[in-house]
Amino acid sequence: MGERDRALCEIAEKVSHDAARVSESDWDELRRLGLDDEAVLEVTHVVGLFNYLTRLADGLGVLLDEGTRTASETGVALQRR
């Protein structure tokens, strides 16, 4: 995993687990790695949406279909038909 991917994972984790404590300085590393304000906003949106969708699915008890579960367990991507 590269430096930029690692920084993205770190901010995604903080936004997911402690969003109220994210500060401007938390984004400094990503800015140093080339992200601008638009990219910072996009990262925040993507993390927020994934958190929302996961909570929605968990709250409704949504279960994965067999193909998706197998792909998740094996790491082999689903194939389009």
Side-chain angles (χ1 to χ4, degrees), residues 1 7 11-12 21 33 39 42 49 52 54-55 59 63 69 72:
M1 178 181 302
I11 194 67
R21 295 186 56 133
L33 294 168
E42 186 172 346
L49 286 170
Y52 166 74
T54 300
R55 284 171 177 76
L63 299 175
R69 186 174 38 257
S72 173

Side-chain angles (χ1 to χ4, degrees), residues 10-20 22 27 43-44 47-48 51:
E10 287 174 8
I11 194 67
E13 184 174 2
K14 188 164 186 180
V15 168
S16 296
H17 294 288
D18 206 2
V22 175
W27 297 102
V43 167
T44 309
V47 171
N51 279 301

Side-chain angles (χ1 to χ4, degrees), residues 1-76:
M1 178 181 302
E3 186 178 11
R4 185 173 172 176
D5 289 340
R6 190 174 321 283
L8 284 166
C9 288
E10 287 174 8
I11 194 67
E13 184 174 2
K14 188 164 186 180
V15 168
S16 296
H17 294 288
D18 206 2
R21 295 186 56 133
V22 175
S23 68
E24 191 68 26
S25 65
D26 290 309
W27 297 102
D28 288 345
E29 180 66 8
L30 287 174
R31 286 197 173 94
R32 185 186 71 73
L33 294 168
L35 274 72
D36 59 11
D37 287 344
E38 187 175 331
V40 164
L41 180 61
E42 186 172 346
V43 167
T44 309
H45 279 134
V46 169
V47 171
L49 286 170
F50 270 88
N51 279 301
Y52 166 74
L53 293 172
T54 300
R55 284 171 177 76
L56 183 68
D58 288 348
L60 293 173
V62 174
L63 299 175
L64 296 177
D65 62 272
E66 183 63 34
T68 303
R69 186 174 38 257
T70 300
S72 173
E73 292 168 355
T74 64
V76 177

